Amino acid sequence: MSQTPHLVVAAADAPGRAGPLPRLDRLAYGGDYNPEQWPEHVWAEDVELMRTAGVNLVSVGIFSWALLEPAEGSFEFGWLDRLLDLMHEAGIAVDLATPTAVPPAWFRRRHPEARLVDRHGTTLGGGARQSFCPSSPAYGEASARITEQLARRYADHPALVLWHSHNEYGGVNALCYCDTSAAAFRDWLRDRYGELARLNDAWGTTFWGQRYGDWAEIEPPLAAPTAVNPAQQLDFLRFSSDTHLANFRRERDILHRLSPGVPVTTNFMLANCKTIDYWRWADEVDVVSNDHYLRAEEPDNHIELAMCADLTRAVASGRPWLLMEHSTSAVNWQPRNLAKRPGELRRNSLGHLARGAESVLFFQWRAARFGAEKFHSAMLPHGGTDTRVWREVVALGAELPRLEPLRGTRVLADVAMLWDWESWWGLELDWRPSVDLDYRERMAAYYERLWRDGLTVDFAHPERPLDDYRLVVVPSLYLTTPAAAENLRRYVAGGGTLLVSYFSGIVDGNDAIHPGGFPGALRDLLGLTVEEFLPLRAGETVRLGPATADLPGSSVGSTPPVGSESLVGDVWAEVVSPRGAEPVLSYSDGPAAGRPAVTRHTLGAGHAWYVSTRLDAAGLAPVLGAAYRDAGLVPPDGAADGVELVRRAGADGSRFLIALNHTDREVELPATGVDLVHGTRHDGVVRLPAGDVRVLRT
Ligand code: GAL
């Protein structure tokens, strides 16, 4: 191995610039690199083209366990030695993976007990990836062994700047129902409850005579003739997320011990992976990294991108994070894999950067010739360098160094939205009042409204202090812990403005209904009770108009008007009885006709709004508009629809504006500043061509 100093290594304690990668003190550009799929003579071309494209970081070895340990306990590192040396000589840093997402075929053969089993008891096959039981002790031992080998061998390699543990934990093997998993689940339950009586109580096992007399009687929630105990299902989801976390911790601790000073990450799938509770992982990684794939067919899919990026920043506690994977163009696994349009690769990349990413990394460097992902786009397409995608990759690589001043600056957010995996799990278990209750749909609709109003969102865990925000939006919080309810009460009483959507505050952490009537945990805060849920038929709509009725316990009048236009809700209505809240809008028709639909409650120095039906992003405009007024929030002027604006601030007082034009026409923005890329000064007005992005120091 070569030991010359690495070209891109910078002082780990570079003043004021503690980025996510102390040894790569610049915006990272590159992606997953799988050279093991190519003869070695291709590597030289790879290196040359990487340099042309400005690549400075590659993730290697992600799926290479079978090559590194071809037979149990016998290791072959020659090719990886040569590769890391080659990267180092070329000045390209390495994010080295532990290859534990795909155990070799010998492992599967030797450990049939470590195979993944689904809820129907079917053992799943190999020849794919992540086809192993996450609770398997044999897997734990084997993955620790290969991790140790890699850490010992490469800890001091000058190309190494980051460890990449596994790949997308829980991506396709989130839940395993085999006997080993069942035993591990019981151990986890013993730790959580201590005594069986406490478990019986928490799970409400007097219902349907499910009482357990012995720990050994407890099973994972296997496919059953009818709905399985919801508290049991929630605990199984918690257990499973914790099991993957334990696997990560095992590898991370080995890497920390044997390779001190090199940060460890694992790639998350924020907002798109339901089964991993990333709040619990947030403090476990040295740097948060995320994979994001555009929902190619969805209109305005850049809004979903922004939502995922904002959630990633939240899980990173506001610190810089790494975009570990996205695509240059089409993926291969969506129903219709639309190619990105010219300019979209750049817009997507800068969209992540705007919201806190300090890297633009792709899956993958060179398009694969064989295997399941051969139709996936890459930085270097099958067509080589005479392609639009390659030209866009090279152009972006040349542009990124000019955006360096963004590094280490903070995204300025106006609003907090609460996100909670446990509540997502709970909401979508069986037998809810309507199959149309959809956690992510509500999050996306409220997020879209805020995005279209030009407001930047920080996501927050429901129990985390919210005092930094003038407005907190809660699109869906079915499962609300007493601590979360108290947190929200304190926030409003202290002067905050809160907006809560329907079917929130309903159950506790065991999926048991908060006593005293709906929405138990938030009743006093919202100043109302919900006597009855009135889910609507598929396709049925209800109209909302100005509140007229003077209902007992309510006082119409002092509330800021929401706008008198008639709004249309669907999916859900309720019998809302104000207990101190003011009706702002009422149902004009449908099963809740004449009852309040939107209310506002004054509590202490703040206000708590409630929206009892499903409004789409357009319908939410007047309602959120009224809440903005309460919160003293003024959506920025001049942002045309489809133009995304993100503001950043540096510790030194510097200010930046990133403007992304997602429309097909030129727009003008009121802004003054210097364009970081072109060096041009704009006074008062910035012209932003269709599809273009500007980064201004303002
Ligand atoms: C990611 C995964 C990559 C690759 C990519 C394709 O989820 O981490 O290995 O499969 O998807 O889009």
Side-chain angles (χ1 to χ4, degrees):
M1 261 178 269
S2 146
Q3 291 301 323
T4 48
H6 195 271
L7 288 177
V8 292
V9 171
D13 54 356
R17 276 294 178 85
L21 299 179
R23 293 194 191 179
L24 178 64
D25 204 21
R26 66 177 72 170
L27 292 171
Y29 191 52
D32 282 21
Y33 179 35
N34 298 305
E36 65 274 22
Q37 296 173 13
W38 298 87
E40 287 199 24
H41 67 83
V42 177
W43 301 5
E45 186 192 64
D46 284 335
V47 165
E48 201 188 309
L49 292 176
M50 281 179 190
R51 296 180 68 141
T52 307
V55 166
N56 58 25
L57 180 69
V58 288
S59 303
V60 303
I62 297 177
F63 299 112
S64 60
W65 191 348
L67 303 181
L68 297 172
E69 191 180 357
E72 186 166 12
S74 88
F75 299 94
E76 278 182 19
F77 290 111
W79 68 271
L80 193 55
D81 292 351
R82 291 194 292 286
L83 182 78
L84 262 61
D85 288 352
L86 186 66
M87 292 296 112
H88 174 57
E89 279 150 26
I92 296 166
V94 166
D95 164 34
L96 184 55
T98 61
T100 54
V102 187
W106 57 253
F107 176 86
R108 185 175 168 78
R109 178 159 171 238
R110 185 153 144 56
H111 295 285
E113 83 292 352
R115 294 182 186 181
L116 186 66
V117 173
D118 74 7
R119 61 190 287 268
H120 299 277
T122 306
T123 301
L124 301 184
R129 67 184 198 193
Q130 276 182 339
S131 194
F132 64 87
C133 161
S135 296
S136 155
Y139 170 79
E141 269 171 43
S143 59
R145 190 173 58 228
I146 184 69
T147 300
E148 262 199 60
Q149 290 284 332
L150 282 163
R152 285 188 195 286
R153 191 165 188 96
Y154 299 110
D156 298 321
H157 197 287
L160 178 70
V161 298
L162 177 67
W163 286 104
H164 180 300
S165 167
H166 201 84
N167 189 68
E168 296 185 338
Y169 276 98
V172 293
N173 68 342
L175 310 174
C176 179
Y177 297 79
C178 73
D179 290 347
T180 308
S181 296
F185 181 41
R186 287 189 284 271
D187 289 345
W188 184 92
L189 291 168
R190 263 200 210 95
D191 274 358
R192 183 172 170 89
Y193 294 105
E195 297 182 1
L196 202 49
R198 288 189 54 218
L199 176 142
N200 276 310
D201 192 38
W203 286 13
T205 55
T206 47
F207 179 80
W208 281 354
Q210 293 167 355
R211 211 188 127 69
Y212 295 101
D214 193 308
W215 293 99
E217 294 160 3
I218 301 173
E219 293 176 348
L222 290 158
T226 184
V228 174
N229 185 317
Q232 180 182 355
Q233 296 197 58
L234 274 181
D235 271 346
F236 189 66
L237 286 158
R238 291 184 180 113
F239 151 77
S240 300
S241 175
D242 282 0
T243 299
H244 292 283
L245 180 55
N247 285 337
F248 168 71
R249 283 191 185 129
R250 183 191 308 113
E251 293 190 10
R252 179 204 57 197
D253 292 350
I254 294 169
L255 296 167
H256 278 171
R257 179 164 49 83
L258 299 174
S259 181
V262 181
V264 180
T265 192
T266 182
N267 43 350
F268 292 166
M269 297 165 279
L270 280 158
N272 284 303
C273 176
K274 180 175 168 183
T275 40
I276 298 284
D277 182 351
Y278 288 115
W279 289 130
R280 289 172 65 79
W281 291 57
D283 296 332
E284 304 276 351
V285 292
D286 297 326
V287 45
V288 166
S289 63
N290 196 48
D291 296 350
H292 180 263
Y293 289 94
L294 208 61
R295 300 178 166 212
E297 264 189 275
E298 282 181 13
D300 294 339
N301 48 18
H302 47 265
I303 302 179
E304 197 265 353
L305 181 156
M307 180 173 90
C308 297
D310 284 343
L311 183 60
T312 309
R313 188 179 66 257
V315 169
S317 305
R319 288 189 293 271
W321 51 277
L322 299 174
L323 175 64
M324 185 59 81
E325 290 180 26
H326 72 152
S327 66
T328 56
S329 188
V331 299
N332 63 293
W333 43 265
Q334 294 180 1
R336 282 163 291 273
N337 296 297
L338 275 62
K340 289 190 183 177
R341 305 303 302 145
E344 205 174 351
L345 177 167
R346 171 172 180 258
R347 254 191 337 275
N348 289 170
S349 302
L350 300 189
H352 286 289
L353 222 61
R355 292 173 190 274
E358 293 207 348
S359 67
V360 174
L361 303 170
F362 297 93
F363 178 85
Q364 61 177 333
W365 161 250
R366 186 187 273 274
R369 271 198 54 232
F370 41 76
E373 295 182 324
K374 57 186 166 294
F375 296 119
H376 198 290
S377 61
M379 297 175 84
L380 183 60
H382 289 295
T385 53
D386 189 14
T387 53
R388 175 187 67 81
V389 165
W390 174 253
R391 284 186 284 275
E392 291 195 20
V393 163
V394 173
L396 181 59
E399 180 173 358
L400 284 185
R402 302 196 200 140
L403 302 180
E404 280 290 315
L406 282 181
R407 279 201 316 116
T409 64
R410 211 163 37 87
V411 173
L412 299 176
D414 307 290
V415 181
M417 256 173 80
L418 301 190
W419 184 287
D420 183 40
W421 275 272
E422 296 207 351
S423 205
W424 185 0
W425 297 342
L427 181 74
E428 296 177 6
L429 293 175
D430 350 47
W431 291 4
R432 275 30 191 151
S434 168
V435 295
D436 298 325
L437 292 163
D438 179 335
Y439 182 81
R440 220 178 163 292
E441 182 279 330
R442 279 299 74 193
M443 300 304 288
Y446 276 86
Y447 185 89
E448 178 181 343
R449 183 67 264 150
L450 294 162
W451 189 97
R452 290 194 189 282
D453 290 338
L455 297 171
T456 302
V457 172
D458 271 350
F459 283 94
H461 184 273
E463 294 177 14
R464 159 211 143 156
L466 298 163
D467 305 325
D468 290 347
Y469 303 98
R470 282 193 281 188
L471 175 65
V472 172
V473 178
V474 184
S476 182
L477 198 64
Y478 163 72
L479 185 159
T480 306
T481 61
E486 174 52 22
N487 187 39
L488 294 178
R489 196 203 56 77
R490 210 180 317 116
Y491 166 72
V492 174
T497 302
L498 176 74
L499 188 142
V500 177
S501 171
Y502 58 89
F503 210 49
S504 295
I506 304 298
V507 299
D508 64 16
N510 295 317
D511 202 51
I513 286 175
H514 285 292
F518 304 127
L522 302 176
R523 213 171 40 226
D524 295 343
L525 165 57
L526 297 171
L528 53 82
T529 61
V530 172
E531 276 180 47
E532 220 175 346
F533 303 136
L534 303 171
L536 304 178
R537 294 181 172 82
E540 185 180 357
T541 56
V542 285
R543 282 185 310 119
L544 279 59
T548 45
D550 221 350
L551 293 157
S554 72
S555 54
V556 188
S558 60
T559 299
V562 153
S564 53
E565 68 269 47
S566 161
L567 298 176
V568 176
D570 64 0
V571 167
W572 193 262
E574 298 176 331
V575 181
V576 172
S577 298
R579 300 274 187 270
E582 311 156 32
V584 178
L585 295 175
S586 294
Y587 290 101
S588 320
D589 59 13
R595 310 293 304 202
V598 174
T599 63
R600 173 180 180 262
H601 185 219
T602 305
L603 181 85
H607 303 285
W609 289 76
Y610 184 62
V611 181
S612 69
T613 185
R614 189 175 85 148
L615 299 171
D616 64 12
L620 285 171
V623 177
L624 273 164
Y628 299 158
R629 284 193 289 279
D630 261 354
L633 262 182
V634 184
D637 244 8
D641 195 26
V643 177
E644 179 174 356
L645 301 177
V646 183
R647 290 176 176 76
R648 307 270 295 251
D652 57 358
S654 55
R655 288 279 188 281
F656 299 89
L657 174 70
I658 300 131
L660 299 99
N661 183 357
H662 298 283
T663 74
D664 53 12
R665 57 183 197 286
E666 180 176 288
V667 295
E668 285 190 354
L669 298 171
T672 295
V674 177
D675 185 318
L676 287 189
V677 176
H678 304 104
T680 348
R681 196 185 156 75
H682 299 271
D683 277 309
V685 176
V686 177
R687 299 168 81 82
L688 189 55
D692 207 349
V693 182
R694 288 258 186 281
V695 183
L696 298 182
R697 188 194 287 270
T698 57

